[in-house]
Amino acid sequence: MSSPTTPAPLVDTGLRPTDDRAWVREAIRKLRADATRTSDTHLIKVHLPGCDRVDLYLKDESTHPTGSLKHRLARSLFLYGLCNGVIGPRTTVVEASSGSTAVSEAHFARMLGVPFVAVMASTTSPAKIALIEREGGRCHLVDDPTAVYAEARRVADAAGGVYLDQFSNAERATDWRGNNNIAESIFEQMSMEEHPVPAWIVVGAGTGGTSATIGRFVRYQALDSRVCVVDPEHSAFLPAWQGDGEARLEPSRIEGIGRARLEPSFLPLVVDRMLGVPDCASIAAMRFLRERTGISAGPSTGTNIYGALRLAAEMEASGERGSIVSLVCDRGDRYDETYNSDEWVAAKGHDLARYAGVLASAWDDGLWTG
């Protein structure tokens, strides 16, 4: 009969090393200070001559230091990484992005003094690469655009770093209950307006994080606002909301929104309505907004405007009074060689004239003819 095994003595391993805790505290302070400086971007009231019953407001996210709505997401992703212990003073930070998210993440990486690598398709324009490099980031190019996610993870693993993965982590990195998020900022700024609780909040979806944050917040606060997500052509979000979760064969042609696959951060159940917006309509609307208000913004803002005007005309027609809030997502000067260029638009075959009358009718007369 064998004798019982004597248990091994417990080993006191002590506390986890804390050499980096002071750096983490300082890094979090810097990010929270940035939030204090920049979170309350301007909320602009836009007069719609044809919609006397409806007030339209645009929250101008282009005024962030990195020029876009993605400034909020990038800051949240860095805070998420710091508070989960995966970002330290020597961590290489990696993202799969060639656009505004990479620009903003490069900005915060430089603020904290850590390396940043953006993984993107080799077809990315030199102008986009220059924006990321200007903020201190390094661009890693791949020939197959569908491989950027796997390659970003490989690059992070090889460097002993972290892949931020905006498309999976956007909805979980933002505190949707409040704490300086975009939803809380919108409702605080609306509190003194005639219709402080918007009938609709209109946003596009790239990662899905913004619509998830706003949709959760209005439910948590027991508000009557409804969330409308506007979606460009070739995007998987609208079909998924309708019950078709299959990936699309082509990517979105409207930068910043629309995805060829259903991203984990997009939460269909917190979205009250979705509107598909033709790409030509998005481009026409960004130009229309500049002509009527002087606000120069990118094509995803055009998608927002097209959807917001449709909803305003519907409210006007039904006699409903209230307000609509949408976003200016980024600055228009980023698109001077593309969406703002008549030559580029013509080369892509976009017929903007067909939507000019639709926009003018909604704006001037409150009638939707689309």
Side-chain angles (χ1 to χ4, degrees), residues 289-330:
L289 179 67
R290 184 181 60 203
E291 293 165 4
R292 294 300 182 100
T293 68
I295 297 172
S296 178
S300 60
T301 302
T303 314
N304 289 342
I305 293 300
Y306 193 83
L309 287 179
R310 175 172 173 175
L311 293 173
E314 289 179 1
M315 289 174 64
E316 186 71 20
S318 66
E320 181 182 354
R321 293 186 178 275
S323 58
I324 297 173
V325 175
S326 193
L327 308 179
V328 175
C329 302
D330 60 2

Side-chain angles (χ1 to χ4, degrees), residues 77-144:
L77 289 168
F78 269 87
L79 282 168
Y80 186 70
L82 287 163
C83 292
N84 279 298
V86 298
I87 297 178
R90 292 165 292 278
T91 304
T92 296
V93 178
V94 182
E95 184 61 275
S97 171
S98 61
S100 295
T101 302
V103 174
S104 297
E105 288 176 346
H107 172 86
F108 286 115
R110 182 166 62 181
M111 178 186 292
L112 303 186
V114 296
F116 175 76
V117 181
V119 178
M120 65 192 70
S122 56
T123 54
T124 302
S125 71
K128 287 185 180 180
I129 292 173
L131 283 174
I132 297 165
E133 292 179 341
R134 186 185 69 189
E135 294 291 345
R138 178 171 68 85
C139 297
H140 179 90
L141 306 181
V142 296
D143 291 331
D144 180 3

